[in-house]
Amino acid sequence: MVLSERDFDCDVLVVGGGIVGLSTAYAVTRAAPGTTVIVLEKEPGTARHQTGRNSGVIHSGIYYRPGSLKARFAVQGAAEMVSFCATHAIDHQVTGKLIVATGRDELPRLHALVQRGRENGIPVRELGPAQITEYEPEVRGLAAIHVETTGICDFVGVADRLAHEASQNGAEVRCGEEVVAIDRRPWGVAVKTSSGSVLRARAMVNCAGLYCDRLAQLAGDDPEMRIVPFRGEYYELTDPSLVRGLVYPVPDPAFPFLGVHLTRGVDGGVHVGPNAVPALAREGYDWSTVRPRELAQTLAWPGSWRIAGRHWRYGAGELHRSWSTSAFTAAVRRLLPAITEAGLRPTAAGVRAQAVLRDGTLVDDFLIKESVRIVHVLNAPSPAATASLPIGREVARRVLAQL
């Protein structure tokens, strides 16, 4: 079957209206003017999940393995994100941040971060206890490093601007359209949505975040991973004057989570968190949200049980901090001794779309896979918002090569 130009609804169909999907649409329209793009988003608006439910930090790239996509794209993306925000008058600030060691067992890991930062080309400054208080008078620690390229911004504002810029270049963003079926043909891809619409495209990009593995399966591809959702619960300080900027603990390299940290946002408030607990649904933003089918699918994946068996002590501590405000407060007090339980109030949670392999390995890098006529973005949690501009260009390069 040979189709003519008028038989296609678009050249590139992007599924997912988060910051990565919108950046991809933006990049395609800039790299190949005249290429028709449609973005499908199942929610009534864009950026409703990971993009709109995070701490708004522009990450420096210090944590990530040198040479990895995360390291390269975060370092590059941080600079580009600041420039993009400045160009389009989006709220942002380059604040720098402290990574603070509060115990002697953390000092070797802190020194390893200094080395990693330098390998990734990130300016870092080592600090002693007195220098810590010069930056953050209420924070206590044995040693710290100051990472000057970290910042904050309004990622929802960035996503909105990417959608606007892509639309100005001819792309179309359609909200309230969930993909329910995918039919791949020699000429391209046909997609059916929840409204009954059928769209034909020469190629498709899967940027479905929490549902990216499900979308890959709908297309007939084996993603060789599953998304295991982890909820990150946040509090905010009732007295934001306790923290001037961004304060992080030394992370455990065995996990992709950074630990409970303090981040001043562009609105002046200070977020505290997140922890990392299993979510009982892909979009399970609290314990009362349970979707039995999604939970059963998570539990049926062997990797889920292997994570639980390997890291049950860590998981038990996270659950305890989820159920007990006093336990959460105690974790925060290691960095900020002045905090009290009354000084924290709950705020909106987020869910991390974490790719897990069959053997229980937590995928620690961005994961982008190609199949015939489709590019799948299968692991793009934090720092994907920071790195969204270079990720979008990379995905655009791959999908345009398939046209």
Side-chain angles (χ1 to χ4, degrees):
M1 180 179 181
V2 178
L3 299 184
S4 67
E5 291 288 338
R6 63 179 177 272
D7 293 319
F8 287 100
D9 296 283
C10 61
D11 296 315
V12 177
L13 182 67
V14 178
V15 182
I19 198 168
V20 172
L22 295 170
S23 177
T24 298
Y26 171 73
V28 168
T29 60
R30 283 169 61 89
T35 303
T36 54
V37 180
I38 294 176
V39 179
L40 297 181
E41 167 54 48
K42 71 182 178 65
E43 300 295 350
T46 58
R48 297 295 176 92
H49 293 290
Q50 291 184 104
T51 302
R53 288 175 169 267
N54 60 58
S55 53
V57 174
I58 301 173
H59 290 283
S60 65
I62 191 171
Y63 301 110
Y64 313 118
R65 178 175 50 81
S68 66
L69 288 179
K70 276 190 176 181
R72 292 192 289 115
F73 286 176
V75 173
Q76 185 178 355
E80 290 186 25
M81 186 58 64
V82 170
S83 177
F84 187 88
C85 289
T87 299
H88 297 290
I90 298 168
D91 283 346
H92 72 287
Q93 186 179 354
V94 180
T95 58
K97 79 171 178 184
L98 296 185
I99 303 174
V100 181
T102 57
R104 292 194 175 280
D105 59 318
E106 296 174 338
L107 293 176
R109 281 185 274 149
L110 186 70
H111 295 317
L113 276 180
V114 172
Q115 181 60 31
R116 175 160 286 190
R118 288 172 178 159
E119 289 176 12
N120 287 338
I122 299 163
V124 295
R125 180 187 174 208
E126 297 180 72
L127 308 177
Q131 294 165 306
I132 292 172
T133 57
E134 290 176 13
Y135 284 98
E136 293 286 353
E138 298 295 336
V139 170
R140 298 292 180 269
L142 299 178
I145 56 178
H146 181 252
V147 187
E148 62 185 58
T149 53
T150 302
I152 53 176
C153 77
D154 172 11
F155 282 125
V156 173
V158 172
D160 289 345
R161 191 69 203 189
L162 288 169
H164 174 79
E165 292 293 314
S167 298
Q168 290 290 101
N169 292 332
E172 182 182 354
V173 180
R174 299 184 186 179
C175 294
E177 294 278 11
E178 181 175 1
V179 171
V180 296
I182 300 172
D183 186 12
R184 184 159 32 194
R185 299 294 180 89
W187 44 260
V189 180
V191 165
K192 184 178 181 180
T193 72
S194 51
S195 70
S197 300
V198 175
L199 300 175
R200 291 178 171 183
R202 295 180 185 276
M204 188 188 98
V205 176
N206 168 13
C207 288
L210 286 157
Y211 293 93
C212 64
D213 56 339
R214 297 270 299 279
L215 207 72
Q217 291 174 303
L218 270 183
D221 292 327
D222 180 4
E224 300 179 321
M225 45 64 73
R226 293 294 183 273
I227 291 297
V228 175
F230 287 90
R231 183 171 64 254
E233 296 162 328
Y234 287 92
Y235 288 80
E236 59 184 2
L237 295 184
T238 58
D239 179 6
S241 69
L242 290 173
V243 175
R244 291 178 174 176
L246 311 181
V247 183
Y248 282 64
V250 180
D252 185 333
F255 301 96
F257 314 111
L258 298 180
V260 172
H261 44 271
L262 304 112
T263 53
R264 178 173 288 277
V266 291
D267 61 356
V270 176
H271 276 82
V272 185
N275 57 1
V277 297
L280 305 181
R282 299 272 178 135
E283 295 166 5
Y285 295 113
D286 53 50
W287 286 113
S288 66
T289 303
V290 182
R291 294 180 182 169
R293 183 179 177 185
E294 292 182 359
L295 180 58
Q297 289 168 340
T298 297
L299 294 176
W301 182 241
S304 301
W305 293 101
R306 289 177 176 138
I307 293 171
R310 200 174 296 155
H311 302 303
W312 67 270
R313 288 183 187 275
Y314 181 93
E318 294 292 278
L319 288 170
H320 183 45
R321 285 184 283 276
S322 173
W323 296 330
S324 168
T325 304
S326 63
F328 193 100
T329 305
V332 180
R333 197 176 286 132
R334 293 185 63 197
L335 289 169
L336 190 68
I339 196 64
T340 64
E341 197 170 330
L344 296 173
R345 58 174 169 244
T347 189
V351 176
R352 178 190 181 99
Q354 176 62 51
V356 177
L357 303 183
R358 181 174 289 274
D359 66 1
T361 301
L362 298 166
V363 178
D364 67 352
D365 202 1
F366 298 138
L367 180 61
I368 304 169
K369 288 190 174 182
E370 297 174 58
S371 63
V372 177
R373 297 287 180 175
I374 300 179
V375 178
H376 298 287
V377 180
L378 297 174
N379 194 57
S382 179
T386 297
S388 55
L389 292 171
I391 292 174
R393 284 198 303 276
E394 174 63 18
V395 176
R397 180 187 68 78
R398 296 191 189 199
V399 75
L400 287 170
Q402 296 212 20
L403 295 184

